[in-house]
Amino acid sequence: MDRFIHISPALLPVMSLNFNISKSHLDDFFGGPAFLVWSRMGNLHRWGGPLPQSWPDQQLILQKKILTRMHELGMTPVLPAFSGIVPAALKLVFPSAKISRLWNWCMPQNFAGNTEMYGVLDAVGSRPVEARISDNSTMASLIVLVGVGMSMEGIEQNPVVYDFMSEMAFRHSPVDVKAWIDLYSRRRYGRFLQRMQDAWYILYHTIYNCTGGAYVSNLFIAPLFFQ
């Protein structure tokens, strides 16, 4: 049995006809072609969209060709629709239905296993808490934060970022990052070393608070030996 996931955008005209949902409402749900994989996981909506009409038209043609070939090969296809995630516009058709969006505040950190020294510690230390206590994160708003997490594509880099993020699931107020860095340095090296503290302050205010995108670092640190 195989699973084929190109069906969702092809349902645009069907949903418009059967549920009386306008194309503009569905445009608000589907992301652009380059971002559909994230849309299917429910990570984002409408980003990079709307989809041109040619996209669902061509996808439907492609799907029929693939299904024909799958049957020829003796395969049993499974055609999903929305993977449990539906357009918010369905609320207009079914006003008594309770449609909620559950979400996690998640830190990707490094796409494609990048290994540069990089992080945004101030954001890690505050935004998961801000999301949890936000007025938009309640059952009344139907947009509910259920947890925090990490979805890195490789972990053998920037341990300070992962150490810090791992704590945020248990934090209920924003963190004083400077004070946390002080403790992190002592935990990591087993004692207070002023030169090491100074080095961490520099890292904290530069590559570990990079807000302009990935920070490609060519920093090489010579080993230091302390008596």
Side-chain angles (χ1 to χ4, degrees):
M1 182 168 64
D2 202 4
R3 187 174 185 270
F4 190 63
I5 62 174
H6 288 279
I7 185 66
S8 296
L11 292 178
L12 285 169
V14 177
M15 292 195 66
S16 297
L17 178 64
N18 292 350
F19 295 101
N20 196 29
I21 296 176
S22 69
K23 184 178 183 301
S24 62
H25 282 126
L26 294 178
D27 285 343
D28 191 60
F29 178 71
F30 289 107
F35 305 98
L36 282 176
V37 63
W38 286 279
S39 295
R40 288 170 183 138
M41 294 186 289
N43 293 343
L44 50 80
H45 300 291
R46 71 180 173 272
W47 188 268
L51 285 171
Q53 185 58 46
S54 60
W55 181 268
D57 292 344
Q58 292 172 2
Q59 290 292 294
L60 189 58
I61 294 171
L62 175 62
Q63 178 172 286
K64 289 180 178 179
K65 290 180 178 179
I66 294 177
L67 287 176
T68 298
R69 186 59 176 154
M70 291 171 74
H71 285 299
E72 292 173 353
L73 295 173
M75 303 169 70
T76 302
V78 176
L79 304 179
F82 294 100
S83 303
I85 304 163
V86 299
L90 283 179
K91 186 73 174 177
L92 302 175
V93 182
F94 304 103
S96 61
K98 188 172 182 179
I99 301 175
S100 63
R101 294 180 179 178
L102 307 180
W103 66 287
N104 288 325
W105 195 98
C106 196
M107 182 186 75
Q109 176 60 18
N110 66 318
F111 289 108
N114 293 320
T115 57
E116 70 266 21
M117 297 177 70
Y118 166 77
V120 189
L121 294 183
D122 280 349
V124 172
S126 60
R127 291 183 185 174
V129 174
E130 292 170 358
R132 184 182 298 117
I133 64 178
S134 168
D135 290 339
N136 291 327
S137 182
T138 64
M139 286 302 295
S141 70
L142 303 180
I143 303 175
V144 185
L145 178 71
V146 295
V148 297
M150 295 180 280
S151 58
M152 53 281 185
E153 297 180 356
I155 197 173
E156 297 298 328
Q157 30 68 40
N158 301 301
V160 63
V161 179
Y162 300 114
D163 193 320
F164 195 20
M165 186 62 202
S166 296
E167 289 190 16
M168 294 311 297
F170 308 97
R171 296 278 191 168
H172 299 284
S173 59
V175 178
D176 182 337
V177 181
K178 182 178 180 298
W180 188 91
I181 286 290
D182 284 342
L183 293 175
Y184 176 81
S185 177
R186 297 187 188 206
R187 292 199 315 266
R188 185 174 177 88
Y189 306 111
R191 58 181 172 137
F192 175 81
L193 298 168
Q194 186 60 57
R195 284 181 290 176
M196 198 62 71
Q197 295 287 87
D198 294 342
W200 270 107
Y201 291 155
I202 294 172
L203 293 175
Y204 165 48
H205 289 294
T206 54
I207 58 176
Y208 287 126
N209 252 321
C210 178
T211 58
Y215 188 98
V216 179
S217 172
N218 291 318
L219 177 65
F220 294 89
I221 301 177
L224 302 177
F225 298 93
F226 299 93
Q227 298 297 325

